[in-house]
PDB file of all heavy atoms in Angstrom:
ATOM      1  N   PHE E 638      95.098  -2.720  52.059  1.00 89.00           N
ATOM      2  CA  PHE E 638      95.281  -2.803  53.500  1.00 89.00           C
ATOM      3  C   PHE E 638      94.180  -3.648  54.141  1.00 89.00           C
ATOM      4  O   PHE E 638      93.959  -3.561  55.352  1.00 89.00           O
ATOM      5  CB  PHE E 638      95.288  -1.426  54.101  1.00 89.00           C
ATOM      6  CG  PHE E 638      96.048  -0.390  53.280  1.00 89.00           C
ATOM      7  CD1 PHE E 638      95.378   0.581  52.593  1.00 89.00           C
ATOM      8  CD2 PHE E 638      97.426  -0.478  53.189  1.00 89.00           C
ATOM      9  CE1 PHE E 638      96.024   1.525  51.864  1.00 89.00           C
ATOM     10  CE2 PHE E 638      98.109   0.469  52.452  1.00 89.00           C
ATOM     11  CZ  PHE E 638      97.452   1.449  51.743  1.00 89.00           C
ATOM     12  N   GLU E 639      93.469  -4.460  53.387  1.00 92.00           N
ATOM     13  CA  GLU E 639      92.305  -5.184  53.912  1.00 92.00           C
ATOM     14  C   GLU E 639      92.667  -6.107  55.063  1.00 92.00           C
ATOM     15  O   GLU E 639      92.045  -6.108  56.121  1.00 92.00           O
ATOM     16  CB  GLU E 639      91.645  -6.011  52.759  1.00 92.00           C
ATOM     17  CG  GLU E 639      90.406  -6.733  53.297  1.00 92.00           C
ATOM     18  CD  GLU E 639      89.718  -7.483  52.163  1.00 92.00           C
ATOM     19  OE1 GLU E 639      90.285  -7.528  51.021  1.00 92.00           O
ATOM     20  OE2 GLU E 639      88.663  -8.057  52.395  1.00 92.00           O
ATOM     21  N   ALA E 640      93.709  -6.933  54.855  1.00 92.00           N
ATOM     22  CA  ALA E 640      94.079  -7.900  55.915  1.00 92.00           C
ATOM     23  C   ALA E 640      94.431  -7.187  57.209  1.00 92.00           C
ATOM     24  O   ALA E 640      93.944  -7.592  58.340  1.00 92.00           O
ATOM     25  CB  ALA E 640      95.231  -8.770  55.447  1.00 92.00           C
ATOM     26  N   LYS E 641      95.299  -6.155  57.129  1.00 93.00           N
ATOM     27  CA  LYS E 641      95.696  -5.448  58.299  1.00 93.00           C
ATOM     28  C   LYS E 641      94.532  -4.730  58.959  1.00 93.00           C
ATOM     29  O   LYS E 641      94.375  -4.748  60.200  1.00 93.00           O
ATOM     30  CB  LYS E 641      96.758  -4.399  57.930  1.00 93.00           C
ATOM     31  CG  LYS E 641      98.189  -4.981  57.710  1.00 93.00           C
ATOM     32  CD  LYS E 641      98.800  -5.327  59.020  1.00 93.00           C
ATOM     33  CE  LYS E 641     100.204  -5.777  58.881  1.00 93.00           C
ATOM     34  NZ  LYS E 641     100.807  -6.248  60.126  1.00 93.00           N
ATOM     35  N   THR E 642      93.640  -4.149  58.152  1.00 94.00           N
ATOM     36  CA  THR E 642      92.515  -3.411  58.644  1.00 94.00           C
ATOM     37  C   THR E 642      91.549  -4.396  59.401  1.00 94.00           C
ATOM     38  O   THR E 642      91.078  -4.094  60.487  1.00 94.00           O
ATOM     39  CB  THR E 642      91.699  -2.682  57.555  1.00 94.00           C
ATOM     40  OG1 THR E 642      92.627  -1.821  56.863  1.00 94.00           O
ATOM     41  CG2 THR E 642      90.632  -1.904  58.127  1.00 94.00           C
ATOM     42  N   LYS E 643      91.329  -5.558  58.796  1.00 92.00           N
ATOM     43  CA  LYS E 643      90.465  -6.578  59.492  1.00 92.00           C
ATOM     44  C   LYS E 643      91.076  -7.014  60.812  1.00 92.00           C
ATOM     45  O   LYS E 643      90.363  -7.205  61.796  1.00 92.00           O
ATOM     46  CB  LYS E 643      90.309  -7.784  58.567  1.00 92.00           C
ATOM     47  CG  LYS E 643      89.313  -7.566  57.439  1.00 92.00           C
ATOM     48  CD  LYS E 643      89.118  -8.848  56.622  1.00 92.00           C
ATOM     49  CE  LYS E 643      88.004  -8.681  55.581  1.00 92.00           C
ATOM     50  NZ  LYS E 643      87.815  -9.872  54.787  1.00 92.00           N
ATOM     51  N   GLU E 644      92.398  -7.154  60.807  1.00 92.00           N
ATOM     52  CA  GLU E 644      93.075  -7.533  62.040  1.00 92.00           C
ATOM     53  C   GLU E 644      92.862  -6.477  63.158  1.00 92.00           C
ATOM     54  O   GLU E 644      92.586  -6.757  64.323  1.00 92.00           O
ATOM     55  CB  GLU E 644      94.584  -7.720  61.797  1.00 92.00           C
ATOM     56  CG  GLU E 644      95.385  -8.191  63.030  1.00 92.00           C
ATOM     57  CD  GLU E 644      96.864  -8.238  62.664  1.00 92.00           C
ATOM     58  OE1 GLU E 644      97.201  -8.454  61.509  1.00 92.00           O
ATOM     59  OE2 GLU E 644      97.665  -8.008  63.626  1.00 92.00           O
ATOM     60  N   HIS E 645      93.019  -5.193  62.711  1.00 92.00           N
ATOM     61  CA  HIS E 645      92.824  -4.096  63.676  1.00 92.00           C
ATOM     62  C   HIS E 645      91.357  -4.019  64.186  1.00 92.00           C
ATOM     63  O   HIS E 645      91.110  -3.744  65.330  1.00 92.00           O
ATOM     64  CB  HIS E 645      93.239  -2.751  63.009  1.00 92.00           C
ATOM     65  CG  HIS E 645      94.708  -2.746  62.699  1.00 92.00           C
ATOM     66  ND1 HIS E 645      95.198  -1.893  61.676  1.00 92.00           N
ATOM     67  CD2 HIS E 645      95.752  -3.446  63.135  1.00 92.00           C
ATOM     68  CE1 HIS E 645      96.539  -2.083  61.595  1.00 92.00           C
ATOM     69  NE2 HIS E 645      96.883  -2.982  62.441  1.00 92.00           N
ATOM     70  N   ILE E 646      90.390  -4.199  63.215  1.00 90.00           N
ATOM     71  CA  ILE E 646      89.010  -4.194  63.607  1.00 90.00           C
ATOM     72  C   ILE E 646      88.732  -5.236  64.648  1.00 90.00           C
ATOM     73  O   ILE E 646      87.972  -4.996  65.635  1.00 90.00           O
ATOM     74  CB  ILE E 646      88.103  -4.378  62.325  1.00 90.00           C
ATOM     75  CG1 ILE E 646      88.146  -3.063  61.506  1.00 90.00           C
ATOM     76  CG2 ILE E 646      86.652  -4.674  62.747  1.00 90.00           C
ATOM     77  CD1 ILE E 646      87.411  -3.216  60.182  1.00 90.00           C
ATOM     78  N   LYS E 647      89.308  -6.445  64.441  1.00 86.00           N
ATOM     79  CA  LYS E 647      89.087  -7.530  65.428  1.00 86.00           C
ATOM     80  C   LYS E 647      89.645  -7.155  66.743  1.00 86.00           C
ATOM     81  O   LYS E 647      89.011  -7.364  67.814  1.00 86.00           O
ATOM     82  CB  LYS E 647      89.691  -8.803  64.883  1.00 86.00           C
ATOM     83  CG  LYS E 647      89.477 -10.024  65.800  1.00 86.00           C
ATOM     84  CD  LYS E 647      90.107 -11.265  65.240  1.00 86.00           C
ATOM     85  CE  LYS E 647      89.885 -12.430  66.236  1.00 86.00           C
ATOM     86  NZ  LYS E 647      90.554 -13.682  65.752  1.00 86.00           N
ATOM     87  N   ARG E 648      90.831  -6.557  66.747  1.00 86.00           N
ATOM     88  CA  ARG E 648      91.485  -6.138  67.981  1.00 86.00           C
ATOM     89  C   ARG E 648      90.639  -5.033  68.658  1.00 86.00           C
ATOM     90  O   ARG E 648      90.500  -5.034  69.882  1.00 86.00           O
ATOM     91  CB  ARG E 648      92.879  -5.640  67.683  1.00 86.00           C
ATOM     92  CG  ARG E 648      93.729  -5.394  68.978  1.00 86.00           C
ATOM     93  CD  ARG E 648      94.999  -4.668  68.658  1.00 86.00           C
ATOM     94  NE  ARG E 648      95.765  -5.342  67.559  1.00 86.00           N
ATOM     95  CZ  ARG E 648      96.843  -4.737  67.006  1.00 86.00           C
ATOM     96  NH1 ARG E 648      97.168  -3.511  67.357  1.00 86.00           N
ATOM     97  NH2 ARG E 648      97.469  -5.368  66.025  1.00 86.00           N
ATOM     98  N   TYR E 649      90.153  -4.121  67.854  1.00 87.00           N
ATOM     99  CA  TYR E 649      89.311  -3.062  68.462  1.00 87.00           C
ATOM    100  C   TYR E 649      88.026  -3.603  69.064  1.00 87.00           C
ATOM    101  O   TYR E 649      87.620  -3.152  70.178  1.00 87.00           O
ATOM    102  CB  TYR E 649      88.910  -1.994  67.384  1.00 87.00           C
ATOM    103  CG  TYR E 649      90.122  -1.261  66.826  1.00 87.00           C
ATOM    104  CD1 TYR E 649      90.085  -0.698  65.563  1.00 87.00           C
ATOM    105  CD2 TYR E 649      91.313  -1.030  67.598  1.00 87.00           C
ATOM    106  CE1 TYR E 649      91.143   0.016  65.064  1.00 87.00           C
ATOM    107  CE2 TYR E 649      92.357  -0.307  67.082  1.00 87.00           C
ATOM    108  CZ  TYR E 649      92.311   0.231  65.793  1.00 87.00           C
ATOM    109  OH  TYR E 649      93.363   0.906  65.284  1.00 87.00           O
ATOM    110  N   ALA E 650      87.430  -4.569  68.375  1.00 80.00           N
ATOM    111  CA  ALA E 650      86.181  -5.169  68.932  1.00 80.00           C
ATOM    112  C   ALA E 650      86.487  -5.848  70.237  1.00 80.00           C
ATOM    113  O   ALA E 650      85.694  -5.859  71.199  1.00 80.00           O
ATOM    114  CB  ALA E 650      85.599  -6.160  67.889  1.00 80.00           C
TER     115      ALA E 650
END
Side-chain angles (χ1 to χ4, degrees):
F638 319 109
E639 182 179 6
K641 282 287 186 183
T642 304
K643 283 184 175 180
E644 181 185 334
H645 296 157
I646 288 174
K647 182 180 180 183
R648 190 191 306 170
Y649 294 154

